[in-house]
Amino acid sequence: ARVKAEKVQEERKRHFAHKAKKHSISAYSKATTLGQALMNKELKEKFRRHLVTEFSVENLMFYEKVSVFENRFRDELPVLREVNEAAARIYADFLMDDSIYQVNLPANIVHVVDNILSDCIPGFDGVQFITQSSKLILSGNERAVPLDIFEACKQNIYDLMERDSYSRFRVGMITTLQRMERESSEMHEV
């Protein structure tokens, strides 16, 4: 029994030492900004899980959808229907009142997007768009929605995440890693 207990103790030491080494504080402290964390797949996923616990994962979802929208149409000759439907989908999912993933933005910023959509897609109605299976009924008077339509929204959400959620996430990660390193060193002393 004593040999087994020593083996278990040794395995725990290796486990905690490996975890502390793998996730060293310096590795996470390099990601000092949200932008740096979003470029790291592992950190981005950990941040996403953190946002779920804070009930604000829709902020990251919105940020990612807008980034995809901007990048998707930037390098190709956009098809009017595809650009407008993609913009309308983002609006319907994230900006419309009572939308499924409504993000918290100042009304004046959302109003600007409303106006641009109405100018580019005469008669646009977000509720009607949703009920028609995300297809726009085009009249022939449409213009392509500008690719930067969501830029102010995206920046506002990024600033919100960096200031609030990411700062709490970062403190929590560093605290957890410090605890793991402390437990690892305590295990080595035993």
Side-chain angles (χ1 to χ4, degrees), residues 23-39:
H23 302 291
S24 70
I25 293 172
S26 63
Y28 287 104
S29 65
K30 288 179 184 175
T32 57
T33 67
L34 175 59
Q36 291 168 328
L38 294 179
M39 291 189 301

Side-chain angles (χ1 to χ4, degrees), residues 153-186:
C153 299
K154 181 181 172 186
Q155 187 62 53
N156 192 287
I157 291 298
Y158 179 91
D159 293 343
L160 176 70
M161 286 191 299
E162 184 163 55
R163 181 182 60 246
D164 295 342
S165 299
Y166 184 68
S167 64
R168 286 189 294 273
F169 167 75
R170 196 159 183 277
V171 166
M173 286 298 293
I174 290 172
T175 302
T176 299
L177 292 169
Q178 287 172 335
R179 182 181 43 78
M180 288 170 57
E181 285 182 349
R182 193 171 44 255
E183 288 173 359
S184 175
S185 66
E186 289 171 1

Side-chain angles (χ1 to χ4, degrees):
R2 181 182 148 155
V3 172
K4 185 177 180 180
E6 288 174 356
K7 283 185 178 182
V8 169
Q9 189 73 354
E10 187 60 35
E11 185 59 36
R12 287 189 76 204
K13 282 183 193 179
R14 277 195 300 266
H15 173 75
F16 281 110
H18 173 70
K19 275 192 153 193
K21 194 179 291 179
K22 184 178 176 191
H23 302 291
S24 70
I25 293 172
S26 63
Y28 287 104
S29 65
K30 288 179 184 175
T32 57
T33 67
L34 175 59
Q36 291 168 328
L38 294 179
M39 291 189 301
N40 179 305
K41 188 175 180 178
E42 180 186 355
L43 275 178
K44 182 176 168 182
E45 189 52 39
K46 287 181 184 303
F47 182 58
R48 181 185 312 281
R49 287 194 302 263
H50 171 77
L51 290 174
V52 168
T53 67
E54 288 194 340
F55 302 100
S56 61
V57 72
E58 66 278 358
N59 291 331
L60 183 57
M61 291 169 58
F62 172 75
Y63 184 85
E64 291 174 327
K65 289 283 187 189
V66 171
S67 295
V68 167
F69 171 80
E70 292 168 340
N71 293 328
R72 176 180 173 201
F73 298 112
R74 180 181 304 133
D75 298 328
E76 62 182 60
L77 184 60
V79 176
L80 180 120
R81 175 183 285 281
E82 289 178 18
V83 172
N84 289 1
E85 284 182 352
R89 168 60 32 214
I90 291 170
Y91 175 82
D93 286 347
F94 296 99
L95 302 180
M96 236 173 62
D97 284 340
D98 299 322
S99 59
I100 190 165
Y101 302 113
Q102 185 176 5
V103 291
N104 188 10
L105 287 166
N108 62 324
I109 293 177
V110 175
H111 187 68
V112 169
V113 174
D114 287 336
N115 288 340
I116 293 171
L117 282 172
S118 295
D119 288 348
C120 293
I121 310 168
F124 175 74
D125 178 346
V127 174
Q128 185 180 16
F129 174 75
I130 293 170
T131 59
Q132 295 174 346
S133 302
S134 302
K135 297 292 180 199
L136 291 174
I137 298 174
L138 301 178
S139 65
N141 299 326
E142 295 79 18
R143 296 182 334 224
V145 171
L147 298 183
D148 65 352
I149 182 174
F150 301 111
E151 190 55 40
C153 299
K154 181 181 172 186
Q155 187 62 53
N156 192 287
I157 291 298
Y158 179 91
D159 293 343
L160 176 70
M161 286 191 299
E162 184 163 55
R163 181 182 60 246
D164 295 342
S165 299
Y166 184 68
S167 64
R168 286 189 294 273
F169 167 75
R170 196 159 183 277
V171 166
M173 286 298 293
I174 290 172
T175 302
T176 299
L177 292 169
Q178 287 172 335
R179 182 181 43 78
M180 288 170 57
E181 285 182 349
R182 193 171 44 255
E183 288 173 359
S184 175
S185 66
E186 289 171 1
M187 295 297 290
H188 288 309
E189 291 172 3
V190 174

